[in-house]
Amino acid sequence: MSDHSRDEPATTGCLNCGAPLEGRYCAQCGQEAVDLAAPSWVVIREALGEALDVDGRLLRTARAMLRPGALTAEYRRGRRSPYVGPLKLFLVAGAVLSTVWVATRGVDARFYHLEAYQGAAAYIEAVTRGLLAGSVAVAAGSWILSAARRRFVDEAVFALHALGVLALFASVVILFATGLKLAWGTVERVPGWLPSFPILLFVPAAVAGIGWLVAAVRRVQGVSWWWAAVQGLILTALAAASVSVVLFSSLG
């Protein structure tokens, strides 16, 4: 049997940095040992394993987002590898929210008989800056409310997780509202007994978002429900004010 039929690498030095290998991973650069002469089935198996690991991380992150504060709690325990990183989650969430908003502007224009929105690039930039400002405000507010007992970087991770999850939640709400607008076609065809969209969808969504944030504060900070509610409302106000200021100043 050929030596290459086994999983063990045939090389004795790291092919990336040249350091001697003492195990499966290089102690210097962290690259996994590579056998350039490995059979095709081994290469395919490793590629599939990497792909499934990425998908598994996404699924674990999605499930954790449904439990308020779970991602931050896991991060603070040191369990970071199984989940998407806080900054990456935040950036992806911002990109998703911007894309969803821009993609649904045409439906809104037809529904309300408005002119088509032309400032997609400006809006994407404004949303990104607004979310960043909101995350800074939440991190600073949470750090101050904790009387600076925790590291600011820990509060920054909490803020990135919170703003990322809420941005994705807002994207889902926008898509749901867009689906209803597509079904009705124009605002005149909305059943008269239904309340307006802000009351029908956006107010309940805002209440749900605040409730998620309050529960996240309680899980992460380990405080009572009443103090978590106070902190959640304060952090919501700080985030909303920061995002609104950036959006209005950027988009006029």
Side-chain angles (χ1 to χ4, degrees):
M1 182 180 295
S2 171
D3 289 341
H4 295 314
S5 64
R6 298 173 301 180
D7 291 341
E8 294 298 326
T11 57
T12 58
C14 176
L15 297 179
N16 182 53
C17 68
L21 283 174
E22 297 180 358
R24 187 173 180 82
Y25 295 89
C26 176
Q28 297 297 320
C29 68
Q31 175 171 292
E32 186 175 6
V34 178
D35 185 355
L36 298 178
S40 297
W41 71 270
V42 174
V43 177
I44 294 173
R45 187 188 67 183
E46 291 177 351
L48 288 175
E50 291 180 2
L52 292 175
D53 180 63
V54 172
D55 291 342
R57 197 183 315 159
L58 291 175
L59 290 174
R60 285 190 294 271
T61 302
R63 287 197 296 266
M65 286 191 296
L66 298 177
R67 295 180 289 123
L71 278 176
T72 305
E74 290 284 84
Y75 189 93
R76 291 186 179 182
R77 293 189 190 106
R79 300 190 70 248
R80 303 173 184 182
S81 180
Y83 305 100
V84 176
L87 182 57
K88 182 179 292 187
L89 175 64
F90 175 82
L91 294 175
V92 169
V96 170
L97 178 58
S98 300
T99 301
V100 166
W101 193 90
V102 172
T104 57
R105 290 309 87 202
V107 176
D108 268 12
R110 290 191 297 273
F111 186 79
Y112 292 112
H113 308 293
L114 303 173
E115 294 183 3
Y117 184 74
Q118 303 296 329
Y123 181 83
I124 291 174
E125 180 182 357
V127 166
T128 303
R129 291 171 56 196
L131 288 175
L132 284 172
S135 65
V136 171
V138 169
S142 184
W143 185 68
I144 292 172
L145 288 171
S146 72
R149 289 192 301 269
R150 293 179 293 270
R151 297 183 306 169
F152 184 81
V153 67
D154 292 330
E155 305 303 336
V157 168
F158 170 70
L160 291 173
H161 281 149
L163 269 292
V165 171
L166 293 176
L168 291 174
F169 177 60
S171 302
V172 173
V173 174
I174 292 173
L175 287 174
F176 185 72
T178 301
L180 292 178
K181 293 171 184 176
L182 283 171
W184 286 319
T186 62
V187 67
E188 290 82 10
R189 297 179 60 184
V190 178
W193 54 270
L194 280 177
S196 61
F197 270 103
I199 299 176
L200 178 66
L201 285 179
F202 300 125
V203 169
V207 172
I210 295 172
W212 185 95
L213 185 58
V214 169
V217 169
R218 186 174 188 275
R219 180 191 294 270
V220 173
Q221 315 295 14
V223 296
S224 63
W225 274 111
W226 76 267
W227 182 228
V230 171
Q231 289 193 52
L233 291 173
I234 293 174
L235 296 179
T236 298
L238 289 173
S242 301
V243 172
S244 299
V245 168
V246 172
L247 289 180
F248 284 124
S249 62
S250 300
L251 301 177

